[in-house]
Amino acid sequence: MINPYLPLEAEVVERIQETPSIVTLRLRLTDPDARHRFYCAPGQFNMLYLYGVGEVPISIKSGPQSFLDQTLLLDHTIRAVGRVTRALVKLEPGAKLGVRGPYGRGWPLNQAQGKDVHIITGGLGCAPAVSVVHELMRQRSRYGRISVVQGVKHADDLIWRDQYEHWAKQPDTQVLLAADQANASWRWHTGMVTGLLDQLHLDTERSLAMLCGPEPMMRASAERLIELGLRPEQIWLSMERNMQCAIGHCGHCQFGAAFVCKDGPVFNYPAVRELLGTRGF
Amino acid sequence: METPDFLPIERLQSLIDTLIDDGFRCVAPQVRDGAILYETLDSVKQLPKGIAQEQSNGRYRLQDTDSPRNFAWANGPQAIKPLTFAPREELWYGELKSDGSLKFYQAPTETEPVAVLGVRACDLAALALQDQHFQSTFPDPYYAARRKRLLLIAVHCTHSAATCFCHSTGDGPEAQSGYDLSLYETDLGYFVTAGSLAGEMLLHRLPLEPGDAALFAAARSETRQAAESQQCQLPQGDLQTLLFGNLNHPQWEAVAERCLSCGNCTQVCPTCFCHSENEVPSISGQSTTHERQWDSCFSPGHSYIHGITLRKETASRYRQWLTHKFGSWHEQYGRSGCVGCGRCISWCPVGIDPTEELAIICKDGTGDSA
Ligand SMILES: Cc1cc2nc3c(=O)[nH]c(=O)nc-3n(C[C@H](O)[C@H](O)[C@H](O)COP(=O)(O)OP(=O)(O)OC[C@H]3O[C@@H](n4cnc5c(N)ncnc54)[C@H](O)[C@@H]3O)c2cc1C
Ligand code: SF4
Ligand code: SF4
Ligand code: FES
């Protein structure tokens, strides 16, 4: 019987300091067989295990393409917030850690084919979103218009600025950025991300929205999109809950009847709409 | 039902001996510190002979009687859950090698065969639920190994406690399935039926006699009387819809005024599966153990995500427990997560009875009252 709890060893190949508290670790599984077997879809996550400290769920930023072309690096962008993540972001190239995954259900890419896709994110919500944008760009002809709407608290928090500028130059692609607090070099919207939604080129018939970020932001954005004409079924969002096991056993990630780790983290909005508005779930 | 064969009470030891001869560790109910617990046993003398029970809200007492019976009580604080889902266990251990590499090793799984004598109908139903939980999408090797080694000998209940409501959940007092062997207890001995091939083979090796039809009819009717004697009841209706339609009911606050958020209810519940994982590094730093341990939706850490505890107030924790156990379980596992054992009522230090809370919260049946 395979043991779903056992991590695989991985090595830090590269460490990228994105902001003072955000680091991207590029990981390679050390076992070549495991590397060949590994495949994941945008929106899925891994459990990263730091020796002697513990395990945390972190989204996989690399798209499926990196697995197909055998570069096989697992990119994880980690914000240092607590015990495990503070120690994880200190790892230097060559350091070893544990990885198990991928887990969960990712974004509905099949349903998105032939449609306009709007990706709306807040804060570090950008990691799972970036993986899906990469994938959309890789298979650009399969999709209609693409918009990327990213909100940050402070302008200094925006990472991957070049990436956004690059996407903005692509055909049929709209990039909208917002910062609650701007700085001198900020030339986009100042305020909440929901304030940008009116600017979307929204063809309500053939659109799909993918949301990730803090829950109040996702909720406000989803409700605004509905006001703008989207049906709830056209909206998808990525949830976070405490996770211990990632395999549906520990019970911590439950959200109503859903286990976020295996039924999510990406949910169709109607499945979570009611509870999302209720404190304590 | 045909009259099963009969094991006279003075031959009960032969069942235990056969099991031990076959290499089983025999686990059976015994009195420990004023409660009935399932522990290793090799003699019928260790069984709770003549013990009667009084259970009510927040209360559990044993009494001696001169009954010749060994199973004339309902249950104890701990179901058989610890035999499959251990309260604390090692999942794997890791080693840090001198070259900086990491090695991970699966913790050994338990394989020692265990026969449990005296399993209750509610606990068999709970076990079936735990099987679904731990052995579906990602089969849990530790649970599976412990589960596979179990031989289960049920004893149908004849003495429900005042806290029992397995009749209204449809899980007892007569065990329906999930056992290898089942016993109907009478003053004179046991009617024995098999529920599996292993049980069948065991049955044929016991010194049984042809059973008396009238005595068997009386034994079965005792289980029916036990059902009728039950005072608590699970409210009828679609509890999932009713509970989720009443998330702002004032009763959540009312129950929170009494509830201590101690989590006793979840610790004694035979279906609760929540656990947390933690890391226990060795002092030398060269190795580390990754463990899991029972956790409760009443603990502050249960709903923690970086810097926020989603369920800070007792009302939201109690609501999580009730909406899950009696509500979302239906969607997750096709039935209620409650098997009516009543343990959470007896072992709640302030005597909260979830069936009473449910009756209030789900009463009007029309959705949100707030
Ligand atoms: C599906 C999913 C994807 C995620 N993707 C990313 C990502 O790409 N980048 C990133 O920086 N963060 C991500 N997170 C959040 C990240 O898991 C938490 O920040 C991290 O667990 C905090 O651990 P800590 O020990 O440093 O913090 P502490 O505050 O010390 O937390 C202690 C423990 O609580 C649990 N915990 C705390 N916060 C969370 C949380 N938000 N989600 C789940 N468990 C938590 C963990 O078991 C953690 O070890 C994701 C969370 C989920 C559920
Ligand atoms: S909720 Fe209470 S009565 Fe129901 S199975 Fe759990 S402990 Fe027993
Ligand atoms: S209901 Fe009773 S047993 Fe459960 S947490 Fe509250 S006080 Fe403790
Ligand atoms: S993280 Fe353990 S059940 Fe989902």
Side-chain angles (χ1 to χ4, degrees), chain A residues 1 3 5-7 9 49 51-52 96 240-242 244-245 248-250 252 254 257 259 279-281, chain B residues 92 101-102 106 133 138 140 142 274-275 277 279 285-287 292 295 304-305 311 313 319 324 332:
Chain A
M1 185 183 272
N3 190 320
Y5 285 103
L6 212 57
E9 188 198 43
Y49 165 74
Y51 179 80
K96 301 291 196 329
E240 264 183 40
R241 281 294 174 270
N242 185 298
Q244 304 284 304
C245 71
H249 291 172
C250 78
H252 281 253
Q254 289 177 95
F259 290 90
R279 267 166 43 94
F281 281 97
Chain B
W92 47 265
S101 66
L102 299 177
Q106 162 166 331
H133 178 72
F138 292 94
D140 183 299
Y142 309 100
C274 282
H275 57 270
E277 292 184 19
E279 191 73 12
Q286 256 124 53
S287 69
R292 75 169 157 207
D295 196 1
Y304 171 83
I305 51 175
R311 289 184 282 278
E313 305 82 13
R319 190 180 63 179
H324 181 226
Q332 294 174 338

Side-chain angles (χ1 to χ4, degrees), chain B residues 202-242:
Chain B
L202 178 60
L203 185 145
H204 288 304
R205 292 163 58 213
L206 298 176
L208 303 178
E209 299 175 348
D212 176 85
L215 186 59
F216 180 59
R220 270 202 105 190
S221 86
E222 281 193 50
T223 67
R224 281 193 293 275
Q225 281 159 26
E228 280 155 26
S229 75
Q230 294 188 1
Q231 296 153 30
C232 292
Q233 219 190 20
L234 187 68
Q236 300 303 298
D238 174 358
L239 294 184
Q240 183 173 6
T241 305
L242 290 168

Side-chain angles (χ1 to χ4, degrees), chain B residues 264-293:
Chain B
N264 269 14
C265 46
T266 59
Q267 298 297 294
V268 297
C269 181
T271 70
C272 275
F273 51 67
C274 282
H275 57 270
S276 52
E277 292 184 19
N278 52 293
E279 191 73 12
V280 190
S282 71
I283 297 183
S284 72
Q286 256 124 53
S287 69
T288 184
T289 305
H290 197 75
E291 296 185 340
R292 75 169 157 207
Q293 192 174 354

Side-chain angles (χ1 to χ4, degrees), chain B residues 126 163 165 265 268-272 321 325-326 337-345 354:
Chain B
T163 43
F165 56 102
C265 46
V268 297
C269 181
T271 70
C272 275
W321 143 250
K325 183 77 48 187
F326 298 88
C338 174
V339 296
C341 73
R343 290 185 176 94
C344 56
I345 306 173

Side-chain angles (χ1 to χ4, degrees), chain A residues 231-245:
Chain A
R231 281 172 286 115
E233 299 76 41
Q234 292 171 285
I235 302 171
W236 298 76
L237 43 79
S238 181
M239 302 272 301
E240 264 183 40
R241 281 294 174 270
N242 185 298
M243 287 189 185
Q244 304 284 304
C245 71

Side-chain angles (χ1 to χ4, degrees), chain B residues 50-325:
Chain B
I51 294 293
Q53 237 178 19
E54 189 203 325
Q55 294 194 50
S56 61
N57 299 37
R59 191 177 154 83
Y60 181 97
R61 294 284 182 283
L62 300 183
Q63 286 136 11
D64 280 314
T65 72
D66 48 20
S67 162
R69 297 196 187 188
N70 294 307
F71 301 95
W73 42 270
N75 57 30
Q78 205 90 96
I80 55 171
K81 184 168 84 173
L83 294 173
T84 41
F85 172 32
R88 183 192 194 111
E89 69 179 306
E90 183 180 334
L91 294 176
W92 47 265
Y93 61 99
E95 282 174 6
L96 175 62
K97 303 293 185 190
S98 49
D99 62 358
S101 66
L102 299 177
K103 291 275 176 294
F104 300 106
Y105 306 93
Q106 162 166 331
T109 49
E110 275 177 53
T111 49
E112 178 200 24
V114 171
V116 196
L117 170 61
V119 185
R120 295 313 199 181
C122 55
D123 293 343
L124 287 172
L127 185 65
L129 274 171
Q130 290 246 316
D131 285 351
Q132 267 201 69
H133 178 72
F134 283 110
Q135 306 200 110
S136 52
T137 326
F138 292 94
D140 183 299
Y142 309 100
Y143 182 96
R146 290 207 185 85
R147 179 68 180 93
K148 217 168 77 192
R149 67 183 181 151
L150 280 191
L151 184 97
L152 299 165
I153 303 171
V155 178
H156 305 284
C157 274
T158 49
H159 290 69
S160 294
T163 43
C164 292
F165 56 102
C166 62
H167 183 50
S168 75
T169 64
D171 297 304
E174 192 177 26
Q176 307 297 327
S177 61
Y179 53 77
D180 295 292
L181 220 55
S182 93
L183 310 180
Y184 290 88
E185 186 176 45
T186 70
D187 281 0
L188 302 174
Y190 303 87
F191 289 94
V192 187
T193 72
S196 71
L197 192 60
E200 194 81 47
M201 284 158 63
L202 178 60
L203 185 145
H204 288 304
R205 292 163 58 213
L206 298 176
L208 303 178
E209 299 175 348
D212 176 85
L215 186 59
F216 180 59
R220 270 202 105 190
S221 86
E222 281 193 50
T223 67
R224 281 193 293 275
Q225 281 159 26
E228 280 155 26
S229 75
Q230 294 188 1
Q231 296 153 30
C232 292
Q233 219 190 20
L234 187 68
Q236 300 303 298
D238 174 358
L239 294 184
Q240 183 173 6
T241 305
L242 290 168
L243 281 165
F244 283 92
N246 281 295
L247 296 179
N248 298 311
H249 198 288
Q251 188 63 18
W252 298 119
E253 292 298 335
V255 66
E257 275 171 29
R258 287 169 288 145
C259 174
L260 312 171
S261 208
C262 67
N264 269 14
C265 46
T266 59
Q267 298 297 294
V268 297
C269 181
T271 70
C272 275
F273 51 67
C274 282
H275 57 270
S276 52
E277 292 184 19
N278 52 293
E279 191 73 12
V280 190
S282 71
I283 297 183
S284 72
Q286 256 124 53
S287 69
T288 184
T289 305
H290 197 75
E291 296 185 340
R292 75 169 157 207
Q293 192 174 354
W294 287 2
D295 196 1
S296 165
C297 51
F298 284 95
S299 77
H302 194 276
S303 65
Y304 171 83
I305 51 175
H306 54 261
I308 329 163
T309 299
L310 292 170
R311 289 184 282 278
K312 239 193 237 104
E313 305 82 13
T314 299
S316 60
R317 293 186 197 165
Y318 195 86
R319 190 180 63 179
Q320 173 68 21
W321 143 250
L322 226 65
T323 52
H324 181 226
K325 183 77 48 187

